[in-house]
Amino acid sequence: MATAPRFFATNKKGENFELKADLNSEYRDKRKETVKKVIANMTIGKDVSSLFADVVKNMQTEDLELKKLVYLYLINYAKSQPELVILAVNTFVKRVLLTNSSRISIQDSDDPNPLIRALAIRTMGCLRVEKIVDYLLEPLKKGLKDEDPYVRKTAALCVAKLFDLNPGIAIDNGLIAILQDMLSDRNPMVIANAVSALQEISEASVQKDIFVINDALLQKLLAALNECTEWGQICILNSLSGYRPRDVREAADIIERVVPRLQHVNASVVLSAVKVLMIYLSHSFSDELDGTIVRKLAPPLVTLISSEPEIQYVVLRNINLILQKRPDVLTQEIRVFFTKYNDPPYVKLEKLEVVIKLCSEANVDQVLSELKEYANEVDVDFVRKSVRAIGRCAIKIPAASDKCVHALLDLIKTGINYIVQESIVVIKDIFRKYPHKYEGIIPALCQNLESLDEPDAKSSLIWIIGEYADRIENASELLEHFLENFKDEASKVQLQLITATVKLFLKRPGSAQDIVQRVLQGASQANDNPDIRDRAYVYRRLLLSNPQVAKAVVLAEKPPIELETGTVSESLLDELITNISSLASVYHKSPALLGGSSFVDMSQYRQEFADGDDEPEARRSIVQEAAQAMGASGGVDNLLDLDFGTPAAQPAPVGGGLGGLDMRIGGPATAAAPASKSGIDDLLSLDMGMGTAMPSLGGVAGVSVAPLGGLGGFSFGGSNTSPIMSSPPGSARISLPKTPFLQPASSQGLDLSGTFARRGGSIMLDLTIANRGTGPMSGFAIQFNVNTFGISPTAPLTVPEPVAVGASVNVSVPLGTSGGVQKMDPANTIQIAVKNNFGVYYFQTQIPVHLVLVDASAADATAASFGGLWGDFTAASASFAVLGAPFGDAANKLRANGLHVVQQSPSSVQAFGKTSNGVPVAIEVTPSGGGVNVSGRSRSPEILSLLQTSLEVLLR
């Protein structure tokens, strides 16, 4: 008789073996204790999935506690190992224990005990296995109409879980409609659970009518609000926050019902009520109503500050948002936010932010006294934040700046190193806010020079020395102290030293020439940091080329700084206010970044439903639009995703078109074309997600790529003939001759050339289409890819068809700037696809920038606009000469080509323009021997460079 190899023989049975034996014990108490052990092992992470069958057998019991334990086990392993539930489907049929894993649950759903019925429905809803959905439907329908409200409210939440698992089944079996009927239930908790389930389903669906609050439902929700549990009240309050009252009377009625929730013992209920009131404040129904809301908000928020530290932190994070939106809510309650000795650090820091927001001229003395006390704390980080808070008060309240500076000087006198250094950093910001006002305290700051060891403090003091070098007698000696260890200093200190020495040299040249030379030479030649080298190079060349320009740049007046009291941006603030009491309002992050609602704002689509036609066709089109925006695949059945990287289809036979599809823009399809595997049957929904590089399509039938046509179809250099500039009738801007876009040899005989022009205020694409092939051409269409300026056709490409062999036609396509926008390289690149009955052809060209300059009214072309851009030293600049260009004609040529003259004199012409995507440009033309000099400024260096290319041609 064969025996097992001795290496595999063992007498150890293991813990699971013992548990398995006990689970099959004849004694119920022992089985119950064993199930508890199994649950305990499962809780600490041990794998007890091998006991699945033995545990599930114990579901057949009248012991409610044991049944709950088994359900807990089943739910856990259904989530992490759904195959075990499927295994039970096939294994336990013969043993009549589960019958497809839910037999006992189904039996339990008919149990006389409502707790067991609800438990069974809850458990089946938590089994995230799609194959048991069919077994869940009947018990769920019964549960939704159960006589016991506890079962009904449990079943309501189960519908949302089923919808998440399989929306189609939930809709087809009428579960959504049953759930909507439950909003009229006599039990308030059933109503609350139905509201919660419908809200969750509505967020996941593109349909607008799943959960809509009308007059009748509004009254039921307000009535149920007083009778629900805490959880139910939160659900109803969340639903009310999304409802906009029709008028002041209805808003006042809702507010009257919501205000009592502000006195609730549960902090979450209070914050949910605060959210409703804050949203209603944003609607601004009336000043009287707004004043009532503001008065009601303060007491509950103050009360919550007396809660546990964790709740305090959540409330303080929400209060920060509320104060940014409505600073008047807590103006009289600043003392509540003064820190206590036993507050945790995270609460102290949040209270400090609130105190700064509430600080005003009326209470600044009280705040400063408190902040000075905080400087004696043992928590170094909190002390630093307190010192910074004093500086923020000085910047926020000009009338209190003297008191704040004196408070900082008192702190410096303590001699505590980190307080001294933080105070110097803060005082630097005060100098930036109030220049030349507190120069008298500089000696007190310089006395602490030896004690500075932090980069921020060093760089701040160096900035002060450089900024006031003409007032500090020994400025060069003070800078020498830092220069001794220049190579070992942090990069921010080195950068500040370079700037300070240059300032010293420009203000006192005689005493700093050696220092500045040594610093610039060392920083540019013996430093590995590119930022430091670049700054040294810039200053060195400025000083060598033109010291006066260097003085104007380096010593230019800086605008005073302003205090940024906003915790978040305005757009994010509006979103967070609608999410008060949620995780988003604590993290100050968008809900979409925390796994919340989708990035797509479904409200915009719902608004289209509300404002527009409610016909089924309109409804379907909007729902489809929303689905596409939410990331619908756009793949298999969607011909709106043509990709240049996809091989082209074989050309259709002459006269046959492309599968019978009418390709005219905006025209209906004459027949349904089968979806092509190549993906290029539909040119008119072109989606070129390929950046700027053209694909390699050589050798593919029906596709050709033309070489670049230069700037808008003309070439600067490289051509034997100079471009002949002409002004077509009715056009005020210069257009250029047509250049080839497609060559017949590579495009099935299609010879295409063209150029861009501007006539009657509109951009045009003028094309010449010639047939050099072997058969007549028809079915022409054109599509532009997304581009920098959003240029796209505003009307179809209309060609007299058919175009016979050897014939040619001239056509024009009107263009607009409301198409898709995507940054191209270079910015004026336009990628175009043209289709006819032989195939689809791709090419790219470049549009002259002067053609996308908007009219004077849209450009806001004024002397102030010109001066604002011309005086912006952060803007890109360029200067160039145009030989042979007469200065006398410059103003007229600029006017004729989209640049609007704002000042003209015998010595200069100044013009301003703006591209269709909002990039402003400022141009100044001055006479020069044999031509003109042109200087320009723009906030886009690339647009300025492209405009230079156009001006070099246009001004000649």
Side-chain angles (χ1 to χ4, degrees):
M1 181 176 178
T3 59
R6 64 185 182 89
F7 294 109
F8 294 94
T10 179
N11 294 324
K12 295 182 179 179
K13 299 298 184 181
E15 185 180 10
N16 281 2
F17 181 83
E18 297 174 2
L19 292 172
K20 184 180 180 71
D22 292 341
L23 286 170
N24 291 283
S25 172
E26 58 182 318
Y27 302 107
R28 186 175 68 178
D29 291 341
K30 189 171 185 179
R31 294 199 305 271
K32 183 176 178 179
E33 289 301 315
T34 306
V35 171
K36 289 182 178 179
K37 291 181 182 179
V38 172
I39 297 297
N41 287 342
M42 180 183 74
T43 304
I44 63 176
K46 289 185 178 180
D47 183 12
V48 287
S49 58
S50 60
L51 303 173
F52 188 84
D54 302 285
V55 174
V56 171
K57 280 193 298 184
N58 290 278
M59 200 185 302
Q60 274 187 325
T61 178
E62 295 180 358
D63 189 331
L64 184 59
E65 184 182 4
L66 178 58
K67 191 181 290 288
K68 287 182 178 180
L69 290 170
V70 176
Y71 278 165
L72 182 61
Y73 176 90
L74 183 62
I75 290 170
N76 180 74
Y77 279 107
K79 289 178 180 177
S80 60
Q81 300 186 33
E83 67 276 1
L84 291 178
V85 179
I86 305 302
L87 182 64
V89 171
N90 300 321
T91 304
F92 298 132
V93 172
K94 295 180 181 179
R95 300 168 69 176
V96 199
L97 292 173
L98 284 179
T99 310
N100 295 328
S101 86
S102 298
R103 175 64 177 272
I104 295 173
S105 296
I106 294 172
Q107 291 176 353
D108 286 346
S109 67
D110 293 326
D111 195 278
N113 188 339
L115 294 178
I116 293 180
R117 296 201 301 273
L119 181 62
I121 292 174
R122 180 186 294 116
T123 303
M124 287 190 289
C126 292
L127 296 176
R128 311 295 291 167
V129 182
E130 195 164 350
K131 290 189 177 181
I132 72 163
V133 168
D134 293 335
Y135 299 93
L136 173 61
L137 285 174
E138 285 306 316
L140 183 55
K141 287 183 178 179
K142 290 181 182 178
L144 290 170
K145 299 179 180 179
D146 196 280
E147 60 183 11
D148 191 279
Y150 182 76
V151 180
R152 294 200 302 274
K153 80 180 187 67
T154 304
L157 294 180
C158 192
V159 174
K161 296 177 181 178
L162 177 62
F163 183 88
D164 183 55
L165 188 63
N166 193 322
I169 289 181
I171 295 172
D172 295 341
N173 287 274
L175 298 181
I176 307 297
I178 297 174
L179 204 57
Q180 291 169 337
D181 293 338
M182 293 176 71
L183 294 172
S184 302
D185 198 278
R186 60 184 179 276
N187 186 282
M189 272 311 301
V190 175
I191 295 175
N193 282 28
V195 167
S196 176
L198 287 171
Q199 277 186 312
E200 185 175 338
I201 292 170
S202 181
E203 289 176 2
S205 172
V206 296
Q207 298 182 25
K208 72 154 188 176
D209 52 356
I210 289 180
F211 181 64
V212 178
I213 299 179
N214 52 33
D215 291 340
L217 178 57
L218 177 63
Q219 297 306 316
K220 291 175 183 175
L221 293 179
L222 293 175
L225 189 60
N226 294 324
E227 304 176 26
C228 288
T229 64
E230 298 166 348
W231 187 87
Q233 291 181 38
I234 294 170
C235 292
I236 293 177
L237 287 170
N238 286 338
S239 67
L240 292 176
S241 68
Y243 174 72
R244 177 158 187 167
R246 295 190 308 268
D247 51 35
V248 178
R249 177 178 296 181
E250 188 177 57
D253 185 37
I254 296 174
I255 290 170
E256 184 181 354
R257 304 288 190 93
V258 171
V259 163
R261 302 305 102 205
L262 295 174
Q263 300 173 5
H264 201 281
V265 68
N266 187 290
S268 186
V269 175
V270 175
L271 285 178
S272 296
V274 169
K275 173 172 68 175
V276 175
L277 298 179
M278 284 298 298
I279 291 174
Y280 283 16
L281 270 178
S282 65
H283 295 329
S284 298
F285 290 106
S286 71
D287 293 339
E288 182 181 355
L289 187 59
D290 289 356
T292 302
I293 295 176
V294 169
R295 287 193 300 273
K296 298 290 186 181
L297 281 176
L301 293 175
V302 169
T303 302
L304 289 175
I305 299 301
S306 303
S307 307
E308 295 82 359
E310 293 79 10
I311 294 178
Q312 282 189 57
Y313 179 75
V314 172
V315 173
L316 287 166
R317 295 289 285 179
N318 282 276
I319 287 175
N320 263 312
L321 299 174
I322 293 169
L323 289 178
Q324 184 175 342
K325 189 72 175 177
R326 300 288 302 204
D328 54 338
V329 171
L330 293 164
T331 50
Q332 305 300 321
E333 309 293 343
I334 191 169
R335 288 186 60 84
V336 177
F337 299 98
F338 289 165
T339 64
K340 300 176 182 177
Y341 73 95
N342 59 346
D343 281 338
Y346 55 87
V347 172
K348 288 183 177 180
L349 294 176
E350 287 303 316
K351 283 186 174 180
L352 198 58
E353 287 297 320
V354 175
V355 167
I356 296 301
K357 284 186 169 66
L358 294 177
C359 185
S360 64
E361 286 190 42
N363 57 32
V364 68
D365 292 337
Q366 193 177 12
V367 171
L368 283 178
S369 176
E370 190 75 12
L371 293 176
K372 288 173 69 175
E373 288 296 324
Y374 296 163
N376 297 320
E377 293 271 0
V378 295
D379 185 344
V380 174
D381 185 50
F382 181 62
V383 171
R384 289 180 181 273
K385 293 287 179 62
S386 302
V387 175
R388 289 180 200 168
I390 296 175
R392 293 169 66 184
C393 289
I395 296 171
K396 180 181 180 181
I397 308 169
S401 61
D402 290 348
K403 298 175 183 177
C404 294
V405 169
H406 287 304
L408 290 169
L409 290 175
D410 290 341
L411 292 175
I412 290 175
K413 291 176 183 178
T414 63
I416 301 174
N417 187 263
Y418 57 86
I419 294 180
V420 171
Q421 301 197 80
E422 198 66 43
S423 299
I424 291 175
V425 174
V426 168
I427 289 174
K428 182 258 294 181
D429 289 334
I430 295 176
F431 280 176
R432 294 176 62 194
K433 174 66 176 178
Y434 309 105
H436 310 296
K437 185 176 181 181
Y438 297 108
E439 299 171 11
I441 70 171
I442 294 177
L445 303 180
C446 294
Q447 289 175 3
N448 298 278
L449 185 142
E450 298 289 344
S451 63
L452 303 184
D453 55 14
E454 296 175 4
D456 284 339
K458 287 183 178 181
S459 59
S460 297
L461 186 56
I462 292 168
W463 181 89
I464 294 172
I465 295 171
E467 193 70 14
Y468 297 94
D470 53 340
R471 311 290 179 88
I472 303 173
E473 291 297 330
N474 60 338
S476 58
E477 297 175 11
L478 296 174
L479 291 179
E480 283 281 8
H481 171 78
F482 293 103
L483 292 172
E484 290 174 2
N485 301 310
F486 180 82
K487 294 182 180 179
D488 300 326
E489 296 287 1
S491 57
K492 62 169 62 176
V493 178
Q494 293 182 355
L495 289 168
Q496 202 58 255
L497 275 170
I498 294 172
T499 303
T501 53
V502 172
K503 287 180 179 178
L504 176 63
F505 172 74
L506 292 173
K507 292 180 178 181
R508 300 167 65 178
S511 61
Q513 186 169 356
D514 179 61
I515 295 177
V516 74
Q517 190 171 0
R518 176 157 42 93
V519 170
L520 293 181
Q521 185 172 359
S524 59
Q525 295 180 2
N527 201 299
D528 295 332
N529 189 318
D531 292 334
I532 296 171
R533 287 202 310 269
D534 288 349
R535 182 172 294 193
Y537 280 133
V538 168
Y539 283 146
R540 192 172 183 179
R541 289 171 183 171
L542 267 176
L543 294 172
L544 289 174
S545 59
N546 194 329
Q548 293 305 316
V549 173
K551 195 170 185 178
V553 172
V554 179
L555 303 181
E557 286 291 328
K558 289 89 174 173
I561 63 172
E562 298 294 334
L563 178 65
E564 290 290 339
T565 56
T567 305
V568 296
S569 65
E570 287 298 321
S571 57
L572 179 58
L573 178 64
D574 292 336
E575 186 178 7
L576 293 180
I577 289 294
T578 62
N579 287 278
I580 285 177
S581 79
S582 71
L583 196 62
S585 66
V586 177
Y587 278 93
H588 292 177
K589 301 287 185 184
S590 171
L593 299 177
L594 300 173
S597 58
S598 170
F599 279 93
V600 177
D601 182 7
M602 295 304 299
S603 62
Q604 62 178 315
Y605 300 104
R606 295 186 180 128
Q607 188 61 37
E608 291 184 51
F609 276 120
D611 297 341
D613 190 1
D614 203 22
E615 292 298 320
E617 287 299 325
R619 178 181 296 241
R620 274 195 292 272
S621 66
I622 295 172
V623 169
Q624 290 170 0
E625 181 183 352
Q628 291 170 0
M630 292 178 68
S633 64
V636 181
D637 298 323
N638 186 7
L639 296 179
L640 304 183
D641 284 319
L642 181 59
D643 191 339
F644 268 143
T646 308
Q650 294 294 330
V654 176
L658 288 180
L661 184 65
D662 182 1
M663 298 305 294
R664 289 172 294 178
I665 298 177
T670 57
S676 169
K677 294 181 181 179
S678 66
I680 67 162
D681 285 347
D682 190 351
L683 165 69
L684 300 184
S685 355
L686 186 60
D687 181 10
M688 304 179 185
M690 50 166 274
T692 58
M694 291 297 291
S696 176
L697 297 173
V700 181
V703 179
S704 67
V705 180
L708 298 184
L711 182 60
F714 60 91
S715 174
F716 297 112
S719 174
N720 294 329
T721 60
S722 301
I724 302 172
M725 297 179 289
S726 61
S727 297
S731 172
R733 302 196 190 179
I734 293 176
S735 62
L736 294 111
K738 297 177 180 177
T739 55
F741 289 159
L742 294 172
Q743 300 290 345
S746 58
S747 55
Q748 309 261 340
L750 176 61
D751 186 357
L752 184 67
S753 60
T755 187
F756 290 96
R758 190 169 183 119
R759 296 189 292 273
S762 299
I763 305 173
M764 308 292 292
L765 176 60
D766 296 332
L767 297 172
T768 297
I769 300 173
N771 185 354
R772 311 297 184 203
T774 58
M777 294 183 178
S778 60
F780 284 92
I782 191 168
Q783 181 67 43
F784 282 44
N785 190 16
V786 291
N787 52 74
T788 305
F789 303 106
I791 295 174
S792 62
T794 59
L797 172 60
T798 304
V799 180
E801 297 178 354
V803 179
V805 176
S808 64
V809 294
N810 293 315
V811 295
S812 294
V813 182
L815 307 176
T817 55
S818 58
V821 176
Q822 175 181 299
K823 179 71 170 66
M824 305 297 287
D825 186 17
N828 62 339
T829 298
I830 308 292
Q831 296 174 338
I832 304 174
V834 172
K835 169 211 164 277
N836 64 10
N837 57 323
F838 284 97
V840 182
Y841 314 101
Y842 306 99
F843 62 92
Q844 72 177 22
T845 185
Q846 293 167 324
I847 182 171
V849 171
H850 73 277
L851 296 181
V852 298
L853 295 174
V854 298
D855 295 332
S857 57
D860 187 25
T862 63
S865 301
F866 177 91
L869 180 57
W870 199 259
D872 185 355
F873 287 101
T874 64
S877 61
S879 298
F880 56 95
V882 182
L883 298 178
F887 175 73
D889 296 339
N892 292 332
K893 290 181 177 180
L894 293 176
R895 288 192 189 96
N897 291 283
L899 287 160
H900 315 293
V901 176
V902 298
Q903 186 274 333
Q904 183 176 359
S905 69
S907 60
S908 69
V909 174
Q910 295 177 345
F912 183 83
K914 186 180 290 185
T915 62
S916 59
N917 62 341
V919 177
V921 291
I923 299 296
E924 183 179 53
V925 181
T926 56
S928 175
V932 295
N933 286 327
V934 182
S935 299
R937 282 190 181 275
S938 174
R939 295 190 175 92
S940 170
E942 188 174 12
I943 295 296
L944 188 60
S945 175
L946 294 172
L947 185 59
Q948 174 182 341
T949 307
S950 290
L951 290 175
E952 287 175 344
V953 174
L954 302 177
L955 290 174
R956 285 195 175 95

